[in-house]
Amino acid sequence: MNEQRLTRRQLLWIALTGLATGLVALAVTSYLVGSAEPLYRAQAQVALVPAPTVPAEEVPSYWEALGGGQAASIAAQVLQQPQWAEQAAQTAGVAPADLTVTAGVVDATSLIDVTAETTSPEAAESALDALITAATPTVQRVSGPYALDFVQSAVGSAQPAGVSATQLLIVVFAGGLLIGSGIALLVTRARRRPEDSAPALADDDWSAIPERVDYGSVRGPVDDPVTSRYPSAR
């Protein structure tokens, strides 16, 4: 069992290899994160409600129809159309390619969550509110006798998108440390295997060594050249 244990020198080499791998991964990731432009996500919520033109006695039936989710799904699809994003990007002063908009229906409700991502928190908020305002007439026209109302504006909602840089660097360093140490451990085990597999000979085990035989000192019977050639002469 003791022969399978790693020496202190081998353990130190494994630890240093893992540390070096983690530091290299950390440096590369830090450079990539630092060179990338940060993204910010703003969020707003809107709701489909029966339009003011709906007669009061028919409002309950329209609310019941909204529970099916079909009208809200249509509204969400309209909000994600590219023309609204282009107009909103111009309003916010960003390139249309830098603005990403998503819209999704909250299950079993007429609520719609809308998000916008871009390179500035202020631009994300202003672009999202501008997009909803521009798309509202079309949403109300195609979804039926419903109006689109703000439940929550995008103002003040912008947050950094994705994983924070600090968390990402910690995860990358830990991953590099584990991977480097694991590879170093496998290499160390592979180098020790040929030595461990060689058979050891005990100090008092001489049975495996063959005795030396001096065949030069052994003489057999010498044949008589006459009798061996002429057997009848014996």
Side-chain angles (χ1 to χ4, degrees), residues 22-38 165 168-169 172:
L23 291 176
V24 170
L26 183 65
V28 173
T29 306
S30 179
Y31 172 76
L32 295 177
V33 171
S35 60
E37 197 168 8
L168 178 61
L169 293 177
V172 168

Side-chain angles (χ1 to χ4, degrees), residues 108-127:
T109 68
S110 62
L111 298 175
I112 303 172
D113 288 329
V114 191
T115 63
E117 287 187 10
T118 190
T119 55
S120 165
E122 295 80 8
E125 294 172 0
S126 61

Side-chain angles (χ1 to χ4, degrees), residues 73 75-80 101-105 112-115 131:
S73 297
Q77 292 297 324
V78 173
L79 288 169
Q80 295 183 97
V101 178
T102 61
V105 180
I112 303 172
D113 288 329
V114 191
T115 63
L131 181 145

Side-chain angles (χ1 to χ4, degrees), residues 199-210:
L201 186 63
D203 294 339
D204 56 350
D205 187 8
W206 298 96
S207 60
I209 302 177

Side-chain angles (χ1 to χ4, degrees), residues 169-215:
L169 293 177
I170 292 175
V171 171
V172 168
F173 175 74
L177 182 65
L178 292 176
I179 292 174
S181 300
I183 294 175
L185 178 60
L186 292 177
V187 172
T188 302
R189 292 292 188 187
R191 288 178 177 177
R192 287 169 56 91
R193 193 169 299 152
E195 300 176 0
D196 296 339
S197 60
L201 186 63
D203 294 339
D204 56 350
D205 187 8
W206 298 96
S207 60
I209 302 177
E211 296 182 359
R212 180 178 178 182
V213 179
D214 188 1
Y215 292 98

